[in-house]
């Protein structure tokens, strides 16, 4: 479901957040998707439709983490 996809997309965002040039094109959209899908997954768990709340929460956390890593790598490589 949405939680499982959020985890996969979140890991993709974390991995690409460490790549300076490509990270902005892959990590940021992947992070937004991971957070959105994680929230959808948590909503579905709350409604009783899904049972993978842990995966949905992990996907959201990975999405937020990848955005933070991206901004740290961007600041370190852009000479700010």
């Amino acid at each position: 479901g949405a939680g499982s996809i959020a985890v996969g997309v979140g890991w993709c965002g974390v991995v690409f957040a460490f790549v300076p040039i490509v990270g902005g094109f892959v990590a940021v959209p992947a992070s937004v998707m991971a957070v959105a899908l994680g929230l959808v997954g948590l909503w579905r768990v709350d409604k009783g439709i899904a049972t993978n709340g842990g995966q949905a929460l992990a996907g959201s956390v990975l999405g937020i983490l990848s955005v933070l890593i991206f901004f740290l790598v961007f600041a370190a490589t852009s000479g700010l």
Side-chain angles (χ1 to χ4, degrees):
S4 302
I5 296 171
V7 170
V9 174
W11 275 116
C12 178
V14 168
V15 168
F16 279 100
F18 287 103
V19 181
I21 296 171
V22 178
F25 297 109
V26 177
V28 174
S31 302
V32 171
M33 285 177 44
V35 171
L37 288 170
L39 292 175
V40 168
L42 288 172
W43 176 80
R44 292 182 62 167
V45 167
D46 189 45
K47 296 292 181 188
I49 301 170
T51 58
N52 58 346
Q55 286 183 337
L57 181 62
S60 294
V61 170
L62 285 171
I64 293 169
L65 180 68
S66 64
V67 168
L68 294 175
I69 293 170
F70 168 74
F71 283 123
L72 288 173
V73 169
F74 179 76
T77 58
S78 66
L80 293 176

